[in-house]
Amino acid sequence: MYLIVSSTEIEIDQLRKSKELERDFNFFTTNVGMVESAISLARLFAEKEVGGLILFGVGGAYSNTGVDILDICLAEKEYFGDLGVAMGNKVEYFTDDALKNKRTFNLKNNLLDKVENKLNVLKIPHKIGNFVTVNSCSGTLQRGNFLRDKFSAICENMEGAAVARVCELYRVPMIELRCVSNMVEDRDKSKWKLNEAIDKGTRVLKKLLPEVF
């Protein structure tokens, strides 16, 4: 089975209730953050065989990357972005071999190729690049710029690398598709477009899912 995963019910609710999809898809909500995502998915994978996973949600785009609010983004790589020592608006990463966990996940696979090709066929504009997964959303432009430059990334989220880690463990191919709800800048929620991002991402997936999966 193919599994469509989001961290919150609000992100996945429209898809779950959609009457437009030609066949049934399996939906799963992990709850927010790395720990809940890893635990809930590992438990599910231990009980059910999953042929592929689509991680869907919103994300924050880094400045000066060519990505803007309401852009559709696909992940080529996912990084654990703040596993280290927080030093103001930057992170000092562990150098001791005993403390070096894997923090990079390559999401380039046949599933990603199929999705990107179909988006091109459907003439749906999108961006593709590196994503950063953080425990705490970046609340300043300076911190966002640090993570952007460190990982050559276009946006950040709070679950992607954890989901990628579990998928790697169970050998489940995954893609990550997010619609940008806000820019990573000095925090100003009045500029956010959360509902609009969910709506747009949902519309894109409604077109994409029957064509690819």
Side-chain angles (χ1 to χ4, degrees), residues 171-188:
R171 298 181 180 178
V172 174
M174 70 167 279
I175 64 161
E176 183 174 3
L177 185 151
R178 293 183 180 272
C179 188
V180 175
S181 59
N182 60 282
M183 301 302 297
V184 178
E185 56 189 0
D186 294 345
R187 195 169 177 86
D188 182 358

Side-chain angles (χ1 to χ4, degrees), residues 20-91:
E20 300 172 37
L21 299 178
E22 296 178 359
R23 64 181 178 86
D24 291 336
F25 288 87
N26 297 280
F27 299 94
F28 188 71
T29 304
T30 63
N31 289 325
V32 175
M34 301 181 201
V35 173
E36 291 297 326
S37 296
I39 290 173
S40 58
L41 270 182
R43 181 182 297 157
L44 180 69
F45 285 178
E47 297 174 351
K48 295 184 179 181
E49 184 174 345
V50 177
L53 183 146
I54 304 100
L55 178 58
F56 167 64
V58 299
Y62 294 126
S63 64
N64 298 318
T65 59
V67 178
D68 207 346
I69 291 178
L70 299 184
D71 280 352
I72 297 294
C73 296
L74 289 170
E76 285 186 318
K77 291 183 180 180
E78 263 285 7
Y79 294 92
F80 284 119
D82 53 8
L83 183 60
V85 181
M87 301 293 291
N89 282 312
K90 66 178 183 177
V91 178

Side-chain angles (χ1 to χ4, degrees), residues 58 146 166:
V58 299
F146 168 80
V166 177

Side-chain angles (χ1 to χ4, degrees), residues 117-163:
N117 287 339
K118 186 53 65 174
L119 287 172
N120 289 331
V121 169
L122 295 172
K123 298 183 179 180
I124 297 175
H126 60 281
K127 307 293 174 59
I128 186 166
N130 299 335
F131 290 13
V132 178
T133 301
V134 291
N135 278 294
S136 300
C137 294
S138 300
T140 66
L141 177 64
Q142 187 177 355
R143 181 179 173 85
N145 288 349
F146 168 80
L147 293 171
R148 176 200 65 196
D149 295 343
K150 177 67 179 178
F151 299 106
S152 300
I154 60 174
C155 68
E156 72 176 33
N157 65 91
M158 300 182 72
E159 297 83 23
V163 172

